[in-house]
Amino acid sequence: MDSITNTKRKVYRFGHRQTDGDRTMRNLLGGKGANLAEMSRLGIPVPPGLTITTEVCTEYNAIGKEATVELIAEEVREAIKQIEAEMDTVFGEDKNPLLLSVRSGARVSMPGMMDTVLNLGLNDVSVLGVAKKTNNERFAWDSYRRFVQMYGSVVMGMKPENKEDEDPFEEQIHQTKEARGISLDTEFTVEDLKNLVVDFKKLIKERTGQDFPTDPWEQLWGAIMAVFDSWNGDRAVYYRKINGYPPDWGTAVNVQAMVFGNMGENSATGVCFTRDAATGANQFNGEYLINAQGEDVVAGVRTPQQITLEGSKHWAELAKLSEKERAAKYPSLQEVMPKLYQELFRYQNQLEIHYRDMQDMEFTIQDGKLWILQTRNGKRTGAAMVKIAVDLLKEGMIDEKEALLQILPEKLDELLHPVFDPRALKRAKVIAQGLPASPGAATGQIVFFADEANKFKNSILVRTETSPEDLEGMDLAKGILTARGGMTSHAAVVARGMGKCCVSGAGALKINYKKRTMTVDGHEYHEGDWISLNGTTGNIIDGKVATMEPLLSGEFAEIMTLADKYATMKVRANADTPKDAKTARNFGAQGIGLARTEHMFFEGNRIMTMREMILADTIKGRKLALEALLPMQRNDFEGLFEALHGHPVTIRLLDPPLHEFVPHQLATQKELAEDLHISLAAVKNKVAELHEFNPMLGHRGCRLGITYPEITEMQTRAIIEAALNVKEKGIEVKPEIMVPLVGTLEEFESQEEVIKQTAETVFQEYGDRVDYLIGTMIEVPRAALMADAIAQRADFFSFGTNDLTQMTFGYSRDDAGKFMSYYLEKGILKADPFEVLDQEGVGQLVALGAKKGRSTKPDLKVGICGEHGGEPSSVEFCHDNGLDYVSCSPFRVPIARVAAAQAAL
Ligand code: ADP
Ligand code: MG
Ligand code: MG
């Protein structure tokens, strides 16, 4: 037995002679490595190779380059022997050299985030050997110039000096093309390629001061370490940040025998998807290039061709080409290499069934033989995610639970975004068309550089093509437009992953980075000009286009029904107006968890009456103003009860400090004085009186209702009268009155008494009753600690995790912006606790409060109504702590429903 079958191995092999890993080993081998091993096991033609584990990456960060080489050298050498045997070549040999690719691969796919080097092992001597062996001089030199280019960028750090500049190698390529009067890479002669190799090496020496390494082993160690380094490169760090992946996962390195798509007309490379990643349609699709290497398709070097005849016809139709023109200009792989297409079709089918999910695959055809280089669960839009899950379920490939678990709750958000209003689209001026790379509607102002995406509130990033460097800007922009690159280009894949609208490959655009212009059909657009993108059709539109709410698909409804079937926790919405309440019901909310009554006071001229109430000097004056507010509140509550039709409605009594309602500017103060027929000085006095040093900890919440019981009286009356009125119409009502900011049992009791008395009075007046509950928010830490006492009286608890977070951390929510981003950057906080519930700390109070409350009252109803109620990991936490419901903003209800179901599974 050879030495690398030891237990604590660092290198795993794959290939047809020996495969050590399998698909279950993603964490150790990375997604790419685990799947290469799995495909080898399935008998799919995969070039043999080895995977260096993610653990080595972590170790590398601690011990550095030389020690890492020492650590793995022996195992790597052993594994390379296997590759040599399978490929019948020798690594480092001159006449018959084994050439390698060095590829990164973390446990989750991070397309293009880390680096790859192809054709490694070539030098001035072995390139001649390859030329002779393959009898193809052009191929040998093309591979060599690609290798020098990639190694130069990835390992030796060559990059453009300014952002307006082109990549130094690409610039050299363009110059050569211009000098020779050609436009395509494929038109280079052997002489051209030889010159490029010399020029590239010279450039590298000039810029880096280093010689290009000639020893293949030196090349190999350099490339492996560069892949490890790329795990901590800017792109990967940012990608991890936006996706919340921890830095200690590390990346694996795959070293694999090269297969060549650039060997001539009988060779090709491509990318394909088992289903449509934009719409989810069950349609095999993809793109390929004849006589090219992997990166060419993704990087948008040439605009690729369609794999299927159907796809090719579709694009030709958009370009208004006849069938004859199509066949000449857009030949599909299905027509050009029908046998290989059939073989590819079989593998894609096999892999989708095997992985039971949509696959995104890479392949290369070397001189008439098909090789599969990668498979992974494909990135997709939110719409495609929902459709694919439902389709796979219907096809019997997965069961209901698996379908639910395929949904990334956050991605549902995309489906709820506005779309272009079809009426506005009819009038829109379409200036050009590209590929509908990622659906959606985007309107914004043009920027040409990713790091300037924040120049405007709504920007559209316009690029010739995007590169992984642009990730942050793509994330900030409202939409992405590229002149080059197909449906599988970097821009397209990343945009779909982000759920961002993208139009790619719009060949009619001429972009000039230096002048910051985009020219279409003779018209020049400048930075800051408004354009709109329709990611569903590929249309590029002049100016702004109006949008509207989206229509939700039948598949969306099916997923929601499934979610409710498996969720044990209910999902309610925070809604303050009948309109929001209706939206919430449409999204499937099973109640209102929080209606903030103060929001109602800002509508129309109600604020005047409210101010009158606040400014009143006597109880009598205050009562008069309250009487005027009563019918308005009652009306709102009736709207809520009607919209909810028998589902519970939790209404919170007045909460914010009163100074929020009075004017602070002189002009409005004057106006108020006139309206109320009092002096300006009186208004000013009152405003000054209401001033507090810490309003968040001041006269607010139940402290208001306790000091001004007439407010609680009026609000209770409005709630109970509304409930009785709606009940009268034959609609079931479930009012729940919620007392805010309670910290002691006595505070609660004081409000409870006012509420009960008022309700009884109203019942007598009406000669009718309704059932109602009186509960409290748990948002002051003391309330959580005293929950057993408070539960003696309260019918329900609702954790107000916004205030609870604020008071537990001692961070003012309104001032935390000053230090929060710094804290996040420095890792002092892992996530913003106002977005993601701090389970460790604040979570203890939630768990304790629920437990203590139920120790007094076992059937106490417990929910949560902070922003966290719609955040999937917080929803799971609530489920685990036995909460009855979460309540979140209406648009997050679908997300919370799926998260609740997933927590239950
Ligand atoms: P990424 O993770 O960014 O997709 P990959 O490691 O998959 O990077 O490699 C980038 C490109 O290089 C892909 O298009 C792939 O097909 C090509 N490639 C990788 N390894 C090989 C190989 N052994 N032979 C031929 N092409 C390869
Ligand atoms: Mg890849
Ligand atoms: Mg609060």
Coordinates of all heavy atoms in Angstrom, one line a residue, residues 189-258:
T189 N -1.4 33.3 -35.8 CA -0.5 32.3 -36.3 C 0.5 31.8 -35.2 O 0.6 32.4 -34.2 CB 0.4 32.9 -37.5 OG1 1.2 33.9 -36.9 CG2 -0.5 33.5 -38.6
V190 N 1.2 30.8 -35.5 CA 2.2 30.2 -34.6 C 3.2 31.3 -34.3 O 3.6 31.5 -33.1 CB 2.9 29.0 -35.2 CG1 4.0 28.6 -34.3 CG2 1.9 27.9 -35.4
E191 N 3.6 32.1 -35.3 CA 4.5 33.2 -35.1 C 4.0 34.2 -34.1 O 4.7 34.6 -33.2 CB 4.8 33.8 -36.4 CG 6.2 34.1 -36.9 CD 7.2 33.1 -36.2 OE1 7.2 31.9 -36.4 OE2 8.0 33.6 -35.4
D192 N 2.7 34.6 -34.3 CA 2.1 35.6 -33.3 C 2.1 35.0 -31.9 O 2.5 35.8 -31.0 CB 0.6 35.7 -33.7 CG 0.4 36.4 -35.0 OD1 1.3 37.2 -35.4 OD2 -0.7 36.2 -35.6
L193 N 1.8 33.8 -31.8 CA 1.7 33.2 -30.4 C 3.1 33.2 -29.8 O 3.3 33.5 -28.6 CB 1.1 31.8 -30.5 CG -0.4 31.8 -30.9 CD1 -0.9 30.4 -31.3 CD2 -1.3 32.4 -29.8
K194 N 4.1 32.8 -30.6 CA 5.5 32.8 -30.0 C 5.8 34.2 -29.6 O 6.4 34.3 -28.5 CB 6.4 32.3 -31.1 CG 6.4 30.8 -31.4 CD 7.5 30.4 -32.4 CE 7.5 28.9 -32.6 NZ 8.3 28.6 -33.8
N195 N 5.5 35.2 -30.4 CA 5.9 36.5 -30.0 C 5.1 36.9 -28.7 O 5.7 37.6 -27.9 CB 5.5 37.5 -31.1 CG 6.4 37.3 -32.3 OD1 7.6 36.9 -32.1 ND2 5.9 37.7 -33.5
L196 N 3.9 36.5 -28.6 CA 3.1 36.9 -27.4 C 3.8 36.3 -26.1 O 3.9 37.0 -25.1 CB 1.7 36.4 -27.5 CG 0.7 37.3 -28.3 CD1 -0.6 36.6 -28.4 CD2 0.6 38.7 -27.7
V197 N 4.2 35.1 -26.2 CA 4.9 34.4 -25.1 C 6.1 35.3 -24.7 O 6.3 35.6 -23.5 CB 5.3 33.0 -25.4 CG1 6.2 32.5 -24.3 CG2 4.1 32.1 -25.5
V198 N 6.9 35.7 -25.7 CA 8.1 36.5 -25.4 C 7.7 37.8 -24.8 O 8.2 38.3 -23.7 CB 8.9 36.7 -26.7 CG1 10.1 37.7 -26.4 CG2 9.4 35.4 -27.2
D199 N 6.7 38.5 -25.4 CA 6.2 39.8 -24.9 C 5.7 39.7 -23.5 O 5.9 40.5 -22.6 CB 5.1 40.3 -25.8 CG 5.6 40.7 -27.2 OD1 6.9 40.8 -27.3 OD2 4.8 40.8 -28.1
F200 N 4.9 38.7 -23.2 CA 4.3 38.5 -21.9 C 5.4 38.4 -20.8 O 5.3 39.0 -19.8 CB 3.4 37.2 -21.8 CG 2.1 37.4 -22.5 CD1 1.2 36.3 -22.6 CD2 1.7 38.6 -23.1 CE1 0.0 36.4 -23.2 CE2 0.4 38.7 -23.7 CZ -0.4 37.6 -23.8
K201 N 6.4 37.5 -21.1 CA 7.4 37.3 -20.1 C 8.2 38.6 -19.9 O 8.6 38.9 -18.8 CB 8.4 36.2 -20.6 CG 7.8 34.8 -20.5 CD 8.9 33.8 -20.9 CE 8.5 32.4 -20.7 NZ 9.5 31.5 -21.2
K202 N 8.4 39.4 -20.9 CA 9.1 40.6 -20.8 C 8.3 41.6 -19.9 O 8.8 42.2 -19.0 CB 9.3 41.3 -22.2 CG 10.6 41.9 -22.3 CD 11.0 42.3 -23.8 CE 10.3 43.6 -24.2 NZ 10.3 43.8 -25.6
L203 N 7.0 41.6 -20.2 CA 6.1 42.5 -19.3 C 6.2 42.1 -17.9 O 6.3 42.9 -17.0 CB 4.6 42.2 -19.8 CG 4.0 43.3 -20.7 CD1 2.6 42.8 -21.0 CD2 3.9 44.6 -20.0
I204 N 6.2 40.8 -17.6 CA 6.2 40.3 -16.2 C 7.5 40.7 -15.6 O 7.5 41.2 -14.5 CB 6.1 38.7 -16.2 CG1 4.7 38.3 -16.7 CG2 6.4 38.2 -14.8 CD1 4.5 36.8 -16.8
K205 N 8.6 40.5 -16.3 CA 9.9 40.9 -15.8 C 10.0 42.4 -15.4 O 10.4 42.8 -14.4 CB 11.0 40.5 -16.8 CG 12.4 40.9 -16.4 CD 13.0 39.9 -15.4 CE 14.3 40.4 -14.8 NZ 14.9 39.5 -13.9
E206 N 9.4 43.2 -16.4 CA 9.4 44.6 -16.2 C 8.6 45.1 -15.0 O 9.1 45.9 -14.1 CB 8.8 45.3 -17.4 CG 9.7 45.7 -18.5 CD 8.9 46.1 -19.8 OE1 7.8 46.6 -19.6 OE2 9.4 45.9 -20.9
R207 N 7.5 44.5 -14.8 CA 6.6 44.9 -13.8 C 6.9 44.3 -12.4 O 6.7 45.0 -11.4 CB 5.1 44.6 -14.1 CG 4.6 45.3 -15.4 CD 3.6 46.4 -15.0 NE 3.1 47.0 -16.2 CZ 1.8 46.9 -16.5 NH1 0.9 46.3 -15.7 NH2 1.4 47.4 -17.6
T208 N 7.3 43.0 -12.4 CA 7.5 42.4 -11.1 C 8.9 42.2 -10.8 O 9.2 41.9 -9.6 CB 6.8 41.0 -11.1 OG1 7.6 40.1 -12.0 CG2 5.4 41.0 -11.6
G209 N 9.8 42.3 -11.7 CA 11.2 42.1 -11.5 C 11.6 40.7 -11.4 O 12.7 40.3 -11.1
Q210 N 10.6 39.8 -11.6 CA 10.9 38.3 -11.5 C 10.9 37.7 -12.9 O 10.2 38.1 -13.8 CB 9.8 37.7 -10.7 CG 9.9 38.0 -9.2 CD 8.7 37.4 -8.5 OE1 7.6 38.0 -8.5 NE2 8.9 36.3 -7.8
D211 N 11.7 36.6 -12.9 CA 11.7 35.8 -14.1 C 10.6 34.8 -14.1 O 10.2 34.3 -13.0 CB 13.0 35.0 -14.2 CG 14.2 35.9 -14.6 OD1 14.0 36.7 -15.5 OD2 15.2 35.9 -13.9
F212 N 10.0 34.4 -15.2 CA 9.0 33.5 -15.3 C 9.6 32.1 -14.9 O 10.6 31.7 -15.5 CB 8.3 33.4 -16.6 CG 7.0 32.7 -16.6 CD1 5.9 33.4 -16.3 CD2 7.0 31.4 -17.0 CE1 4.7 32.7 -16.3 CE2 5.8 30.7 -16.9 CZ 4.6 31.3 -16.6
P213 N 9.0 31.3 -14.0 CA 9.6 30.1 -13.6 C 9.6 29.0 -14.7 O 8.5 28.8 -15.3 CB 8.8 29.6 -12.4 CG 7.5 30.3 -12.5 CD 7.8 31.6 -13.2
T214 N 10.7 28.3 -14.9 CA 10.7 27.3 -16.0 C 10.5 25.9 -15.4 O 10.1 25.0 -16.1 CB 12.1 27.4 -16.7 OG1 13.1 27.3 -15.7 CG2 12.2 28.6 -17.5
D215 N 10.8 25.7 -14.1 CA 10.8 24.4 -13.5 C 9.3 24.1 -13.2 O 8.7 24.7 -12.4 CB 11.6 24.3 -12.3 CG 11.4 23.0 -11.5 OD1 11.0 22.0 -12.1 OD2 11.6 23.0 -10.3
P216 N 8.8 23.0 -13.8 CA 7.3 22.6 -13.6 C 7.0 22.5 -12.1 O 5.9 22.8 -11.7 CB 7.1 21.3 -14.3 CG 8.2 21.4 -15.4 CD 9.3 22.1 -14.8
W217 N 7.9 21.9 -11.3 CA 7.5 21.7 -9.9 C 7.4 23.1 -9.2 O 6.5 23.3 -8.3 CB 8.5 20.8 -9.2 CG 8.2 19.4 -9.5 CD1 8.8 18.6 -10.4 CD2 7.2 18.6 -8.9 NE1 8.2 17.3 -10.4 CE2 7.2 17.3 -9.5 CE3 6.2 18.8 -7.9 CZ2 6.3 16.3 -9.2 CZ3 5.3 17.8 -7.6 CH2 5.4 16.5 -8.2
E218 N 8.3 24.0 -9.5 CA 8.3 25.3 -8.9 C 7.0 26.0 -9.4 O 6.3 26.6 -8.6 CB 9.5 26.1 -9.4 CG 9.6 27.5 -8.7 CD 10.7 28.4 -9.3 OE1 11.6 27.8 -10.0 OE2 10.6 29.6 -9.1
Q219 N 6.6 25.8 -10.6 CA 5.3 26.3 -11.1 C 4.2 25.8 -10.3 O 3.3 26.5 -9.9 CB 5.1 25.9 -12.6 CG 6.1 26.6 -13.6 CD 6.0 26.0 -15.0 OE1 5.2 25.0 -15.2 NE2 6.7 26.6 -15.9
L220 N 4.2 24.5 -10.1 CA 3.1 23.8 -9.4 C 2.9 24.3 -7.9 O 1.8 24.7 -7.5 CB 3.3 22.3 -9.4 CG 2.2 21.5 -8.7 CD1 0.8 21.7 -9.3 CD2 2.5 20.0 -8.7
W221 N 4.0 24.4 -7.2 CA 3.9 24.9 -5.8 C 3.4 26.3 -5.8 O 2.6 26.7 -5.0 CB 5.2 24.7 -5.0 CG 5.7 23.3 -4.9 CD1 6.9 22.8 -5.3 CD2 5.0 22.2 -4.4 NE1 7.0 21.5 -5.0 CE2 5.8 21.0 -4.5 CE3 3.7 22.0 -3.9 CZ2 5.4 19.8 -4.1 CZ3 3.3 20.7 -3.5 CH2 4.2 19.6 -3.6
G222 N 4.0 27.1 -6.7 CA 3.5 28.5 -6.8 C 2.0 28.6 -7.0 O 1.3 29.4 -6.3
A223 N 1.5 27.8 -7.9 CA 0.1 27.9 -8.2 C -0.8 27.4 -7.1 O -1.8 28.0 -6.7 CB -0.2 27.0 -9.5
I224 N -0.3 26.3 -6.4 CA -1.1 25.8 -5.3 C -1.2 26.9 -4.2 O -2.3 27.1 -3.6 CB -0.5 24.5 -4.7 CG1 -0.6 23.4 -5.7 CG2 -1.1 24.1 -3.4 CD1 0.1 22.1 -5.4
M225 N -0.1 27.5 -3.9 CA -0.1 28.5 -2.8 C -0.9 29.7 -3.2 O -1.5 30.3 -2.4 CB 1.4 28.9 -2.5 CG 2.3 27.7 -2.0 SD 1.6 26.8 -0.6 CE 2.2 25.1 -1.0
A226 N -0.9 30.0 -4.5 CA -1.7 31.2 -5.0 C -3.1 30.9 -4.8 O -3.9 31.8 -4.4 CB -1.4 31.5 -6.4
V227 N -3.6 29.6 -5.0 CA -5.0 29.3 -4.7 C -5.3 29.5 -3.3 O -6.3 30.1 -2.9 CB -5.3 27.9 -5.2 CG1 -6.7 27.5 -4.8 CG2 -5.2 27.8 -6.7
F228 N -4.4 29.0 -2.4 CA -4.6 29.2 -1.0 C -4.7 30.7 -0.6 O -5.6 31.1 0.1 CB -3.5 28.6 -0.1 CG -3.6 27.1 0.0 CD1 -2.5 26.3 0.1 CD2 -4.9 26.4 0.0 CE1 -2.6 24.9 0.2 CE2 -4.9 25.1 0.2 CZ -3.8 24.3 0.3
D229 N -3.8 31.5 -1.2 CA -3.8 32.9 -1.0 C -5.2 33.5 -1.5 O -5.6 34.5 -0.8 CB -2.7 33.6 -1.8 CG -1.4 33.4 -1.0 OD1 -1.4 33.3 0.2 OD2 -0.3 33.5 -1.7
S230 N -5.7 33.0 -2.6 CA -6.9 33.7 -3.1 C -8.1 33.5 -2.1 O -9.0 34.3 -2.2 CB -7.3 33.1 -4.5 OG -7.7 31.8 -4.4
W231 N -8.0 32.6 -1.2 CA -9.1 32.5 -0.2 C -9.2 33.7 0.6 O -10.2 34.1 1.1 CB -8.8 31.2 0.7 CG -9.8 31.1 1.8 CD1 -9.6 31.3 3.1 CD2 -11.2 30.7 1.7 NE1 -10.7 31.1 3.9 CE2 -11.7 30.7 3.0 CE3 -12.0 30.4 0.7 CZ2 -13.0 30.4 3.3 CZ3 -13.3 30.0 0.9 CH2 -13.8 30.1 2.2
N232 N -8.0 34.4 0.8 CA -8.0 35.6 1.6 C -7.9 36.9 0.7 O -7.6 38.0 1.2 CB -7.0 35.6 2.6 CG -7.3 34.7 3.8 OD1 -8.5 34.7 4.2 ND2 -6.4 33.9 4.2
G233 N -8.1 36.7 -0.6 CA -8.1 37.8 -1.5 C -9.4 38.7 -1.4 O -10.4 38.2 -0.8
D234 N -9.3 39.9 -1.8 CA -10.4 40.9 -1.6 C -11.8 40.3 -2.1 O -12.8 40.4 -1.5 CB -10.2 42.2 -2.4 CG -9.0 42.9 -1.8 OD1 -8.6 42.6 -0.7 OD2 -8.5 43.8 -2.5
R235 N -11.7 39.7 -3.3 CA -13.0 39.2 -3.9 C -13.6 38.1 -3.0 O -14.8 38.2 -2.7 CB -12.7 38.5 -5.3 CG -12.3 39.4 -6.3 CD -12.0 38.5 -7.5 NE -10.6 38.2 -7.7 CZ -10.1 37.2 -8.4 NH1 -10.9 36.3 -8.9 NH2 -8.9 37.0 -8.5
A236 N -12.8 37.1 -2.6 CA -13.3 36.0 -1.8 C -13.8 36.6 -0.5 O -14.8 36.1 0.0 CB -12.3 35.0 -1.7
V237 N -13.1 37.5 0.1 CA -13.4 38.0 1.4 C -14.8 38.7 1.3 O -15.7 38.5 2.1 CB -12.4 39.0 1.9 CG1 -12.9 39.8 3.1 CG2 -11.1 38.2 2.3
Y238 N -15.0 39.5 0.2 CA -16.2 40.2 0.1 C -17.4 39.2 -0.1 O -18.5 39.3 0.4 CB -16.1 41.2 -1.0 CG -17.4 42.0 -1.2 CD1 -17.7 43.0 -0.2 CD2 -18.3 41.8 -2.2 CE1 -18.9 43.7 -0.3 CE2 -19.5 42.5 -2.2 CZ -19.8 43.5 -1.3 OH -21.0 44.2 -1.4
Y239 N -17.1 38.2 -1.0 CA -18.1 37.2 -1.3 C -18.6 36.5 0.0 O -19.8 36.3 0.3 CB -17.6 36.2 -2.3 CG -18.7 35.3 -2.9 CD1 -19.4 35.7 -4.0 CD2 -18.9 34.1 -2.4 CE1 -20.3 34.9 -4.6 CE2 -19.9 33.3 -2.9 CZ -20.6 33.7 -4.0 OH -21.6 32.9 -4.6
R240 N -17.6 36.2 0.8 CA -17.9 35.5 2.1 C -18.7 36.4 3.0 O -19.7 36.0 3.6 CB -16.6 35.2 2.8 CG -15.9 34.0 2.3 CD -15.0 33.3 3.3 NE -13.9 34.1 3.8 CZ -12.8 34.2 3.3 NH1 -12.5 33.6 2.1 NH2 -11.8 35.0 3.8
K241 N -18.4 37.7 3.0 CA -19.1 38.6 3.8 C -20.6 38.7 3.4 O -21.4 38.6 4.3 CB -18.4 40.0 3.7 CG -18.8 41.0 4.8 CD -17.9 42.2 4.8 CE -18.7 43.4 4.5 NZ -17.9 44.6 4.3
I242 N -20.8 38.9 2.1 CA -22.2 39.1 1.8 C -23.0 37.8 1.9 O -24.2 37.8 2.0 CB -22.5 39.7 0.4 CG1 -21.9 38.8 -0.7 CG2 -21.9 41.1 0.3 CD1 -22.2 39.4 -2.1
N243 N -22.3 36.7 1.9 CA -23.1 35.4 2.1 C -23.0 34.8 3.5 O -23.5 33.8 3.8 CB -22.5 34.4 1.1 CG -23.0 34.7 -0.3 OD1 -24.1 34.6 -0.7 ND2 -22.0 35.1 -1.1
G244 N -22.2 35.5 4.3 CA -22.1 35.1 5.7 C -21.3 33.7 5.9 O -21.6 33.0 6.8
Y245 N -20.3 33.5 5.0 CA -19.5 32.3 5.2 C -18.3 32.6 6.1 O -17.6 33.6 5.9 CB -19.0 31.8 3.9 CG -20.1 31.4 2.9 CD1 -19.9 31.7 1.5 CD2 -21.3 30.9 3.3 CE1 -20.9 31.4 0.6 CE2 -22.3 30.6 2.4 CZ -22.1 30.9 1.0 OH -23.0 30.6 0.1
P246 N -17.9 31.8 7.0 CA -16.8 32.1 7.9 C -15.5 31.9 7.2 O -15.3 31.0 6.3 CB -17.0 31.0 9.0 CG -17.7 29.9 8.4 CD -18.6 30.5 7.4
P247 N -14.4 32.7 7.6 CA -13.1 32.6 7.0 C -12.4 31.3 7.3 O -11.5 30.9 6.5 CB -12.4 33.8 7.6 CG -13.2 34.2 8.8 CD -14.6 33.8 8.6
D248 N -12.8 30.6 8.3 CA -12.0 29.4 8.6 C -12.4 28.1 7.8 O -11.8 27.1 8.0 CB -12.0 29.1 10.1 CG -13.5 28.9 10.7 OD1 -14.4 28.8 9.8 OD2 -13.7 28.9 11.9
W249 N -13.3 28.3 6.9 CA -13.6 27.1 6.0 C -12.4 26.7 5.2 O -12.1 25.6 5.0 CB -14.8 27.4 5.1 CG -16.1 27.2 5.8 CD1 -16.4 26.8 7.1 CD2 -17.4 27.5 5.3 NE1 -17.7 26.8 7.4 CE2 -18.4 27.2 6.3 CE3 -17.9 27.9 4.0 CZ2 -19.8 27.3 6.1 CZ3 -19.2 28.0 3.8 CH2 -20.2 27.7 4.8
G250 N -11.8 27.7 4.6 CA -10.7 27.5 3.7 C -11.1 26.9 2.4 O -12.3 26.5 2.2
T251 N -10.2 26.9 1.4 CA -10.5 26.3 0.1 C -9.6 25.0 -0.1 O -8.5 25.0 0.4 CB -10.2 27.3 -1.0 OG1 -10.5 26.6 -2.3 CG2 -8.8 27.8 -1.1
A252 N -10.1 24.1 -0.9 CA -9.3 23.0 -1.3 C -8.6 23.4 -2.6 O -9.0 24.4 -3.2 CB -10.2 21.8 -1.5
V253 N -7.6 22.6 -3.0 CA -7.0 22.9 -4.3 C -7.1 21.6 -5.1 O -6.7 20.5 -4.6 CB -5.5 23.2 -4.1 CG1 -4.9 23.5 -5.5 CG2 -5.3 24.4 -3.2
N254 N -7.6 21.7 -6.3 CA -7.6 20.5 -7.2 C -6.5 20.6 -8.3 O -6.4 21.7 -8.9 CB -9.0 20.5 -7.9 CG -10.1 20.4 -6.9 OD1 -10.3 19.3 -6.3 ND2 -10.9 21.4 -6.7
V255 N -5.7 19.6 -8.3 CA -4.7 19.6 -9.4 C -5.1 18.5 -10.3 O -5.3 17.3 -9.9 CB -3.3 19.3 -8.8 CG1 -2.3 19.1 -9.9 CG2 -2.9 20.3 -7.8
Q256 N -5.3 18.8 -11.6 CA -6.0 17.9 -12.5 C -5.3 17.8 -13.8 O -4.8 18.9 -14.3 CB -7.4 18.3 -12.7 CG -8.3 17.3 -13.5 CD -9.7 17.9 -13.6 OE1 -9.9 19.1 -13.6 NE2 -10.7 16.9 -13.7
A257 N -5.3 16.7 -14.5 CA -4.7 16.5 -15.8 C -5.5 17.5 -16.7 O -6.7 17.5 -16.7 CB -4.8 15.1 -16.3
M258 N -4.8 18.1 -17.6 CA -5.5 19.0 -18.6 C -6.1 18.2 -19.7 O -5.5 17.2 -20.1 CB -4.4 20.0 -19.2 CG -4.1 21.2 -18.4 SD -5.5 22.3 -18.0 CE -6.1 22.7 -19.6

